[in-house]
Amino acid sequence: NCKMMNEDNLKEEETDEIVVRVKAFMMNSNHEILLVSSNDGVQLIGGHVEEGEDQVNTLKREIMEEAGIAVTDEEISEPFYEVRHYIKNYFNTSKNTVAKMVYYVVKTDKKPDMGKIHLTNQEKKYNFSLQYILMDSFTQKVQEFLNSEKEINRLIASEMLSAFDELTANKDKLIGSF
């Protein structure tokens, strides 16, 4: 399933670049989801796909960098949801961009290892931290950020809730008996 966010009504042929980010609903057998708290908001573990890197390897790298957890291919689902943001360049400082956010489920009981985490300076500056939240409390927790003073936190929260709706609609297929 794919959701399009295109307030500027850009056409595909009007875009100059595609930026891909992967996001993980990291779940354990207690039906808890690992959330990142940062910059007065919440988000899922994930990040940018680097040149020459595929999405699964990006996900593995980001999970190691942000949670200190080494996950295997078997713990990672197929992507189940994508959000595309079409971003018009109004200031001639960059390019018209499609930002693709691709969502996965990662099922693991491995615990974060703070000794293996490698945060960027920006993540450190924004007080990056991890917390588990029960799947049943996810919507309520994330909705708290829909009224954030920071637009980016409102956008991330809204997108996470949309992806979570897709996850719960396909819960049997994506989570199964885990």
Side-chain angles (χ1 to χ4, degrees), residues 1-50:
N1 195 355
C2 183
K3 180 178 181 179
M4 307 287 202
M5 308 290 287
N6 192 356
E7 293 176 9
D8 296 314
N9 296 312
L10 283 173
K11 295 180 177 72
E12 285 290 331
E13 59 271 13
E14 295 174 321
T15 60
D16 303 302
E17 67 179 353
I18 298 172
V19 176
V20 180
R21 289 178 60 96
V22 292
K23 304 278 186 165
F25 279 94
M26 292 198 55
M27 302 187 70
N28 64 26
S29 59
N30 294 327
H31 296 280
E32 296 172 315
I33 298 171
L34 188 60
L35 282 181
V36 173
S37 294
S38 179
N39 196 19
D40 301 322
V42 292
Q43 55 190 301
L44 298 169
I45 290 201
H48 289 88
V49 175
E50 295 178 358

Side-chain angles (χ1 to χ4, degrees), residues 93-112:
T93 57
S94 67
K95 303 172 181 174
N96 290 339
T97 303
V98 178
K100 292 183 181 183
M101 309 301 175
V102 183
Y103 287 83
Y104 293 79
V105 173
V106 176
K107 298 187 293 188
T108 185
D109 280 326
K110 297 171 188 167
K111 303 277 188 239

Side-chain angles (χ1 to χ4, degrees), residues 5-6 18-19 50 65 70 82 88 90 92 127 139 170:
M5 308 290 287
N6 192 356
I18 298 172
V19 176
E50 295 178 358
E65 288 175 2
E82 182 176 307
K88 186 168 181 64
Y90 286 105
N92 292 325
N127 299 314
T139 299
N170 295 289

Side-chain angles (χ1 to χ4, degrees), residues 19 33 38 40 70 83-84 86 90 93-94 97 106 120-122 127 130 138 144 146 151 157 160 163 167 169 175:
V19 176
I33 298 171
S38 179
D40 301 322
V83 178
R84 293 182 186 176
Y86 289 77
Y90 286 105
T93 57
S94 67
T97 303
V106 176
T120 65
N121 288 334
Q122 185 174 4
N127 299 314
L130 300 171
F138 183 87
E144 295 173 18
L146 291 176
E151 180 182 6
M160 284 172 57
L167 171 68
I175 301 169

